[in-house]
Amino acid sequence: MKIGPAAAAPLLAALLWVASIVVSPGRLTPGSVLLVGLGLIGTATVAVIGMVLTGGRWARWASGAMLATCLVTAALTPIDGLWIVALVATASALVIVLAGGSTRARRQQQAVGPPAAAVALPVLLLLFPAWLGLAAAEDTVVATMIVGLLAPVAALWYTRVLPGGLLGVRLVWPLLALASIPAQGLAPAIVSGAGAVAVAVLAWQPAVKHAFHPPREVGTNYPIPPELTPREVLDAARLDDEGKPRS
């Protein structure tokens, strides 16, 4: 399995920014650093897998959103040598992604896969910790950490089609995010509220439910007369010309 530049560049940028905020966090608290790192690396990893295995457009969209978050991170952290390297890597990754990504993806006239809402929902949940961590910055409280850390869990819950996964993204996580607002500062409260509304709106789209519970079609079996069955099929099944087991 070969990883091309379109997949490797965003992941490298994410890793460099995580290293940068760990070494020079600036005004980011350790909790914010954890949330930002989780959001960037989690989204970049999923995007890499998507580009390598399917070459789908959604993977490039996820990479683009993650790289945009990297630029916001750059604006909120102190400038040093590692910061410059990470910024260059981010700019290069953006050029690669915006240029069209892998050749395989560009050749696809129409991306085949789940509906846009069913893809945007888990990507939003994966990136949410980074946005919340940047918004919280110096004001990372327990409520902020709980909401941020549970967002990727809700995404995994839904994408792995685990029992209650649809309910988790429709009600459980949005209500938890809304309930955390009074305990947070103004900026993280706004992000939590906006995230709860956005996730709920996406999760209640019919396409999201269909992606989680695909409609089942009842098939019909039509027996094939023995005289129309290819000889090699009969031989493999050890049946005679009348479709009966050979003695």
Side-chain angles (χ1 to χ4, degrees):
M1 183 170 59
K2 184 178 179 180
I3 300 179
L11 180 59
L12 176 61
L15 292 172
L16 286 173
W17 278 116
V18 172
S20 177
I21 61 177
V22 168
V23 174
S24 302
R27 64 189 186 91
L28 298 180
T29 65
S32 292
V33 170
L34 174 62
L35 290 176
V36 173
L38 176 64
L40 294 182
I41 293 180
T43 307
T45 301
V46 170
V48 166
I49 295 173
M51 286 187 183
V52 172
L53 296 183
T54 68
R57 295 176 184 175
W58 68 266
R60 285 185 288 146
W61 295 342
S63 293
M66 186 277 300
L67 291 170
T69 307
C70 288
L71 295 179
V72 177
T73 304
L76 298 177
T77 51
I79 301 175
D80 57 15
L82 190 53
W83 185 96
I84 295 174
V85 173
L87 184 63
V88 172
T90 302
S92 301
L94 275 172
V95 171
I96 294 174
V97 171
L98 294 178
S102 64
T103 303
R104 177 183 177 185
R106 284 185 306 199
R107 288 178 178 174
Q108 292 179 338
Q109 294 182 355
Q110 180 67 36
V112 178
V119 172
L121 176 62
V123 171
L124 173 60
L125 286 167
L126 284 173
L127 260 181
F128 181 81
W131 297 334
L132 186 61
L134 293 172
E138 301 172 343
D139 190 24
T140 309
V141 297
V142 175
T144 301
M145 296 299 299
I146 292 175
V147 174
L149 293 176
L150 288 182
V153 175
L156 180 65
W157 197 1
Y158 171 78
T159 56
R160 298 303 297 171
V161 197
L162 298 175
L166 186 60
L167 180 65
V169 294
R170 282 185 166 182
L171 291 176
V172 177
W173 188 86
L175 290 177
L176 178 64
L178 292 175
S180 71
I181 289 177
Q184 301 186 73
L186 179 59
I190 292 175
V191 172
S192 294
V197 172
V199 168
V201 169
L202 284 172
W204 283 97
Q205 296 292 318
V208 171
K209 180 180 179 180
H210 293 159
F212 189 80
H213 293 301
R216 296 182 179 179
E217 296 183 359
V218 179
T220 303
N221 294 326
Y222 294 96
I224 301 176
E227 58 271 18
L228 299 181
T229 304
R231 168 56 60 182
E232 57 270 19
V233 174
L234 293 174
D235 293 339
R238 295 183 176 276
L239 300 176
D240 59 22
D241 293 338
E242 298 180 355
K244 299 179 181 179
R246 295 177 183 174
S247 55

